[in-house]
Amino acid sequence: MSDAIIIDGKAFSARVREQVAEEVAALKASHGLTPGLAVVLVGEDPASEVYVRNKGEQTTAAGMYSETHRLAADVTEAELFGLLDQLNSDPAIHGILVQFPVPPHLSQDRIVARISPDKDVDGLTVTNAGRLASGLPALTSCTPVGCMMLLRDALGDLTGKHAVVIGRSNLMGKPMAQLLLAADCTVTIAHSRSVDLPAICRTADILVAAVGRAEMVKGDWIKPGAAVIDVGITRLPSRDPERAAQGKTRLVGDVAFDEAVKVAGWITPVPGGVGPMTIACLLQNTLTAARRLHGIG
Ligand code: NAP
């Protein structure tokens, strides 16, 4: 059996960003409207800093307005809520994203609840999660939307396929399962309490791993010919001991790629698979939010 087709998320996401940029230009020309995204970063987590910088750069590159708010790690909830209230009512801002995790004195749930559902481009509010589950138009978490785009591009119609999603977070596993269900898949959600995970995974035509455990999914967990979407990102020391000693790292997914590529029909690599889709879908969500807030079809 030949190796799996490698799904190139980097190339696909570049096409999505181009498409968004074209639609932003058209929206500006037809309605004088520039979609705006505000990103809020609390504290100084280096990985979050990189994500936030990338988001800002790619938002501007797509022709949108970008604003980044950096708050001190000891910011009070009242101060943070003051900023969110201001962004909720700012007509130049159509998308608000708070970069998680936040320091432990702040509650993620309370922060999410403070964001206007109309500007909730991460799809985390109860309103958007409920709308997704009810089959109503919603702003939906960016990474699962990106995974669906890659799956549809690779497989076409997903009707009737058995999809197994490992992970049940509000950001990833649950919206992923809802989107697969909406695409007429038969969906199984697995998690840390699932019994005999390898056997569950072996039944999947589509396997989405969103756990955060390096190379947990082995080659013999995969049904031959299945589509494997690896969402997990873990940073491990470089394989080269000298580079590792210098603090150099490598990114690893939830799937043991070298084994899985020999069994799967399609597979996303890490890096270069799902990761680049997330920001592209964030831009798309911001465009969608701007259109909806202005009642533009
Ligand atoms: P999370 O909130 O920590 O959720 C992890 C999920 O994995 C939980 O539902 C947990 O089950 C499950 N799990 C943990 N250990 C397990 C095990 N041994 N067997 C089966 N399930 C297990 O993480 P998340 O936010 O969903 O993110 C998941 C991964 O995706 C992380 O590596 C994250 O960095 C990555 N991610 C990547 C992108 C991207 O842009 N590529 C975006 C978002 C997330 P319980 O619910 O039972 O605890």
Side-chain angles (χ1 to χ4, degrees), residues 41 44 102 106 218 233 237 254 271 280:
L41 176 62
E44 284 166 8
V102 287
L106 296 168
K218 308 299 179 203
I233 303 176
D254 287 343

PDB file of all heavy atoms in Angstrom, residues 41 44 102 106 218 233 237 254 271 280:
ATOM      1  N   LEU A  41      -4.182  40.267  24.699  1.00  0.00           N
ATOM      2  CA  LEU A  41      -3.198  39.347  25.285  1.00  0.00           C
ATOM      3  C   LEU A  41      -2.932  39.774  26.720  1.00  0.00           C
ATOM      4  O   LEU A  41      -2.605  40.938  26.972  1.00  0.00           O
ATOM      5  CB  LEU A  41      -1.901  39.419  24.455  1.00  0.00           C
ATOM      6  CG  LEU A  41      -0.713  38.612  24.938  1.00  0.00           C
ATOM      7  CD1 LEU A  41      -1.024  37.126  24.945  1.00  0.00           C
ATOM      8  CD2 LEU A  41       0.509  38.878  24.063  1.00  0.00           C
ATOM      9  N   GLU A  44       2.703  37.673  29.590  1.00  0.00           N
ATOM     10  CA  GLU A  44       3.817  37.634  28.628  1.00  0.00           C
ATOM     11  C   GLU A  44       4.222  36.220  28.241  1.00  0.00           C
ATOM     12  O   GLU A  44       5.405  35.901  28.175  1.00  0.00           O
ATOM     13  CB  GLU A  44       5.010  38.392  29.211  1.00  0.00           C
ATOM     14  CG  GLU A  44       4.812  39.892  29.132  1.00  0.00           C
ATOM     15  CD  GLU A  44       5.795  40.654  29.990  1.00  0.00           C
ATOM     16  OE1 GLU A  44       6.728  40.042  30.527  1.00  0.00           O
ATOM     17  OE2 GLU A  44       5.602  41.875  30.119  1.00  0.00           O
ATOM     18  N   VAL A 102      -5.106  32.503  30.094  1.00  0.00           N
ATOM     19  CA  VAL A 102      -4.900  33.749  30.840  1.00  0.00           C
ATOM     20  C   VAL A 102      -4.377  33.365  32.234  1.00  0.00           C
ATOM     21  O   VAL A 102      -4.524  32.215  32.647  1.00  0.00           O
ATOM     22  CB  VAL A 102      -6.217  34.554  30.944  1.00  0.00           C
ATOM     23  CG1 VAL A 102      -6.579  35.170  29.617  1.00  0.00           C
ATOM     24  CG2 VAL A 102      -7.359  33.696  31.488  1.00  0.00           C
ATOM     25  N   LEU A 106      -7.779  34.949  36.639  1.00  0.00           N
ATOM     26  CA  LEU A 106      -8.880  35.323  35.742  1.00  0.00           C
ATOM     27  C   LEU A 106      -9.634  34.062  35.316  1.00  0.00           C
ATOM     28  O   LEU A 106      -9.020  33.011  35.124  1.00  0.00           O
ATOM     29  CB  LEU A 106      -8.334  36.043  34.509  1.00  0.00           C
ATOM     30  CG  LEU A 106      -7.633  37.382  34.778  1.00  0.00           C
ATOM     31  CD1 LEU A 106      -6.887  37.857  33.540  1.00  0.00           C
ATOM     32  CD2 LEU A 106      -8.642  38.440  35.230  1.00  0.00           C
ATOM     33  N   LYS A 218      -1.002   5.774  17.387  1.00  0.00           N
ATOM     34  CA  LYS A 218      -0.011   4.958  16.676  1.00  0.00           C
ATOM     35  C   LYS A 218      -0.553   4.498  15.318  1.00  0.00           C
ATOM     36  O   LYS A 218      -1.768   4.538  15.080  1.00  0.00           O
ATOM     37  CB  LYS A 218       0.333   3.717  17.511  1.00  0.00           C
ATOM     38  CG  LYS A 218       0.736   4.018  18.940  1.00  0.00           C
ATOM     39  CD  LYS A 218       1.977   4.894  19.003  1.00  0.00           C
ATOM     40  CE  LYS A 218       2.364   5.229  20.437  1.00  0.00           C
ATOM     41  NZ  LYS A 218       3.170   6.443  20.526  1.00  0.00           N
ATOM     42  N   ILE A 233      -0.616  19.964  19.155  1.00  0.00           N
ATOM     43  CA  ILE A 233       0.694  20.610  19.024  1.00  0.00           C
ATOM     44  C   ILE A 233       1.418  20.455  20.354  1.00  0.00           C
ATOM     45  O   ILE A 233       0.930  20.939  21.380  1.00  0.00           O
ATOM     46  CB  ILE A 233       0.577  22.125  18.723  1.00  0.00           C
ATOM     47  CG1 ILE A 233      -0.244  22.379  17.462  1.00  0.00           C
ATOM     48  CG2 ILE A 233       1.963  22.745  18.593  1.00  0.00           C
ATOM     49  CD1 ILE A 233      -0.475  23.863  17.190  1.00  0.00           C
ATOM     50  N   PRO A 237      11.964  18.842  22.941  1.00  0.00           N
ATOM     51  CA  PRO A 237      13.351  19.235  22.648  1.00  0.00           C
ATOM     52  C   PRO A 237      13.777  18.711  21.272  1.00  0.00           C
ATOM     53  O   PRO A 237      13.313  17.647  20.848  1.00  0.00           O
ATOM     54  CB  PRO A 237      14.159  18.543  23.757  1.00  0.00           C
ATOM     55  CG  PRO A 237      13.175  18.214  24.819  1.00  0.00           C
ATOM     56  CD  PRO A 237      11.846  18.028  24.156  1.00  0.00           C
ATOM     57  N   ASP A 254      -0.349  14.923  17.687  1.00  0.00           N
ATOM     58  CA  ASP A 254      -0.892  13.817  18.496  1.00  0.00           C
ATOM     59  C   ASP A 254      -0.712  12.473  17.806  1.00  0.00           C
ATOM     60  O   ASP A 254      -0.991  11.425  18.394  1.00  0.00           O
ATOM     61  CB  ASP A 254      -2.410  14.019  18.697  1.00  0.00           C
ATOM     62  CG  ASP A 254      -2.715  15.132  19.676  1.00  0.00           C
ATOM     63  OD1 ASP A 254      -1.808  15.526  20.425  1.00  0.00           O
ATOM     64  OD2 ASP A 254      -3.869  15.593  19.687  1.00  0.00           O
ATOM     65  N   PRO A 271       4.585  20.426  11.769  1.00  0.00           N
ATOM     66  CA  PRO A 271       3.736  21.577  11.419  1.00  0.00           C
ATOM     67  C   PRO A 271       3.336  21.551   9.940  1.00  0.00           C
ATOM     68  O   PRO A 271       3.779  20.673   9.208  1.00  0.00           O
ATOM     69  CB  PRO A 271       4.669  22.761  11.711  1.00  0.00           C
ATOM     70  CG  PRO A 271       6.059  22.223  11.508  1.00  0.00           C
ATOM     71  CD  PRO A 271       6.017  20.767  11.884  1.00  0.00           C
ATOM     72  N   ALA A 280      -6.159  31.640   9.126  1.00  0.00           N
ATOM     73  CA  ALA A 280      -6.937  31.907   7.896  1.00  0.00           C
ATOM     74  C   ALA A 280      -8.436  31.916   8.218  1.00  0.00           C
ATOM     75  O   ALA A 280      -9.187  32.780   7.735  1.00  0.00           O
ATOM     76  CB  ALA A 280      -6.612  30.859   6.834  1.00  0.00           C
TER      77      ALA A 280
END
